[in-house]
Amino acid sequence: MDGKLKDAMPVIERLSAAGHQAYFVGGCVRDALLGRPIGDVDIATSARPEAVMAIFPKHVPTGIRHGTVTVFVKGRSYEVTTFRTESDYDDHRRPSDVAFVDDIRTDLKRRDFTVNAMAMDADGRVIDPFGGMSDLERGIIRCVGSPDERFREDALRMVRAVRFAAELGFRIAPSTWRALRRNAGLLRHIALERVGAELDKMICGADPDRAAALFIRSGLWRTTKTPLKAPGLPACAGKVRLSDLAAGDRRWIALWAASNVSPEAARSWMSRFAFGKKRMRAIFEPLQLHAAAACIPDTRDDWAALALRHGRQAAADWLDVMRALPGVSPVPADRLERWSAWLADMPAFTAAELALDGTELAEAAGRKGGPWIKRTMDRLLLETAAGRLPNERRALLERALHILDTQADGKDER
């Protein structure tokens, strides 16, 4: 038995000792049978929530209405959920009515796919009423019961079907795929934040290329709460392999760089994924740089100005993506290498990294502070980044005083 399941065994044992049924359920059983690393360990029990809370003094009633209590044992947390049935999915997202039951098979019947509708007891025996083990062996993602009903209950299951198929290397059963296509419009009821979480797992998962291809073929991208509006399909170029990049935001950069979707359209769609401002910048600064890269002359000054505009990390990420996926690059390989060398040689990316600060400049120039300081420091930063000026105090000060003496743009506005 997997180590994570062994660690969770005290939860099963304490529930059983109190006279209740208790099983490992869902993804942890699936992954244990496949020999894959296990993520969260979920437990289903015949015990009602009040009984679970009485058995485990350390607990949080995380979803008490739906029978879920998070319990803490030996410093680890586990979700323990009472066997239940669900009905009346009015919003295609969550059940409006839950009834507790005493039979694990009845509980498993409400689950999404057969490979997720299995339970395992403390002795490792598997309860599999819907053929999940057979589907694991055949490599198939198939809904429990009627796929139309499962997708109408929770429309996010359509996106999850794509994710599981890509992550596990499985096929989607024809009946499930047809139902997915029929019910794609229901995805508009699902918050884009929930869709984004699934897509993020796909892009950062084991086979992002197949995940993207399936998601596009499904038509789901057209039916989200905020549809992705684009001239044609947002498909990766055929020669692009996201899996050639390590899992992370560079895959998102590559995906959008290889698509025919503008950075503005992509940002508008993804802004609802709740990725956070920092992460959105990490994805879209390189994409803005990508959009401009083909239009600038191949000079060190122009590359330095572009890199400074978007930041060191954005420039480095963009270069890495372009070198890994040359079919996406708007410039030839030799230019990428040259720009990479220039980037590595840039000593400063902000005025704060210069060996001269604005106060020293004002004192040396004998002038009061004002907008002229920023303009002059920006000039010094660009010339330093372009390799025309060393990042040394004396050299910077001499150049700054020369700019102030000879060039209008270094002086106060009148």
Side-chain angles (χ1 to χ4, degrees):
M1 184 174 286
D2 181 272
K4 282 196 172 183
L5 297 185
K6 289 180 180 178
D7 290 340
M9 193 62 72
V11 181
I12 300 284
E13 292 170 346
R14 286 166 69 173
L15 287 164
S16 299
H20 305 288
Q21 301 172 54
Y23 301 91
F24 299 116
V25 291
C28 65
V29 177
R30 177 199 67 223
D31 290 339
L33 293 173
L34 289 172
R36 290 168 49 87
I38 290 177
D40 294 333
V41 175
D42 293 326
I43 294 165
T45 181
S46 59
R48 298 306 190 253
E50 296 77 12
V52 174
M53 291 187 285
I55 294 168
F56 299 93
K58 294 183 178 180
H59 64 263
V60 176
T62 44
I64 197 74
R65 180 171 170 265
H66 295 103
T68 300
V69 178
T70 299
V71 304
F72 299 86
V73 176
K74 295 183 178 180
R76 295 183 174 89
S77 64
Y78 303 97
E79 283 196 355
V80 177
T81 302
T82 303
F83 301 159
R84 71 190 191 205
T85 60
E86 301 170 345
S87 60
D88 298 329
Y89 292 76
D90 295 331
D91 56 4
H92 305 286
R93 295 169 55 203
R94 61 177 71 88
S96 56
D97 186 41
V98 169
F100 299 138
V101 297
D102 297 316
D103 178 41
I104 181 61
R105 288 168 178 80
T106 303
D107 179 84
L108 294 174
K109 188 177 181 179
R110 69 180 173 82
R111 297 175 184 268
D112 51 7
F113 308 110
T114 60
V115 296
N116 296 334
M118 294 181 285
M120 181 185 291
D121 67 14
D123 295 320
R125 289 187 294 263
V126 176
I127 297 172
D128 177 24
F130 305 107
M133 291 184 71
S134 174
D135 284 345
L136 283 182
E137 293 171 1
R138 294 186 297 160
I140 292 176
I141 298 299
R142 181 167 56 90
C143 283
V144 173
S146 166
D148 289 295
E149 290 181 12
R150 296 294 83 75
F151 293 148
R152 288 167 189 161
E153 289 167 352
D154 183 353
L156 189 66
R157 287 170 171 169
M158 295 182 288
V159 184
R160 285 167 57 82
V162 170
R163 175 166 70 84
F164 285 132
E167 185 67 22
L168 300 175
F170 285 11
R171 295 176 293 112
I172 298 177
S175 60
T176 297
W177 180 256
R178 289 192 295 269
L180 186 157
R181 297 292 301 273
R182 280 195 300 271
N183 293 283
L186 296 177
L187 200 60
R188 69 181 181 274
H189 296 286
I190 304 301
L192 207 57
E193 178 179 347
R194 294 182 71 206
V195 177
E198 293 293 326
L199 291 177
D200 200 29
K201 292 175 183 177
M202 292 185 207
I203 297 305
C204 297
D207 194 345
D209 304 287
R210 184 159 179 258
L214 282 173
F215 188 70
I216 292 161
R217 282 176 49 207
S218 71
L220 292 170
W221 64 276
R222 295 190 185 94
T223 63
T224 55
K225 202 161 198 173
T226 301
L228 178 57
K229 297 177 181 178
L233 292 176
C236 276
K239 37 193 166 176
V240 172
R241 283 185 52 83
L242 300 180
S243 54
D244 288 341
L245 294 162
D249 289 339
R250 290 181 181 182
R251 288 186 180 178
W252 279 110
I253 296 167
L255 174 69
W256 291 119
S259 76
N260 54 9
V261 181
S262 71
E264 293 74 21
R267 182 193 290 271
S268 174
W269 197 57
M270 288 190 70
S271 65
R272 294 163 178 83
F273 285 0
F275 278 6
K277 291 182 180 179
K278 183 177 180 180
R279 192 165 180 213
M280 289 291 287
R281 282 196 301 272
I283 294 169
F284 285 98
E285 283 295 339
L287 286 170
Q288 294 290 348
L289 187 153
H290 179 75
C295 305
I296 67 167
D298 183 20
T299 69
R300 189 164 181 173
D301 273 55
D302 286 289
W303 166 246
L306 184 63
L308 288 174
R309 188 178 314 134
H310 296 285
R312 186 194 304 272
Q313 191 61 54
D317 286 347
W318 179 78
L319 286 167
D320 283 349
V321 170
M322 295 302 106
R323 286 200 298 265
L325 307 173
V328 176
S329 178
V331 299
D334 63 331
R335 189 176 301 184
L336 291 175
E337 294 308 316
R338 189 159 47 251
W339 288 1
S340 181
W342 288 343
L343 181 69
D345 198 39
M346 291 172 65
F349 261 78
T350 65
E353 295 175 323
L354 292 174
L356 176 73
D357 64 33
T359 301
E360 293 173 316
L361 175 58
E363 290 176 354
R367 303 175 64 174
K368 294 182 179 179
W372 67 272
I373 293 179
K374 183 179 185 308
R375 289 196 299 270
T376 306
M377 295 296 288
D378 286 346
R379 283 285 302 275
L380 297 178
L381 180 61
L382 177 59
E383 293 185 19
T384 301
R388 291 189 281 110
L389 183 65
N391 189 19
E392 299 170 359
R393 184 181 182 282
R394 181 175 177 179
L396 292 169
L397 186 55
E398 289 178 356
R399 176 60 179 149
L401 294 175
H402 178 75
I403 291 171
L404 293 171
D405 286 342
T406 62
Q407 300 183 32
D409 68 352
K411 297 182 179 179
D412 282 317
E413 295 177 357
R414 302 299 182 190

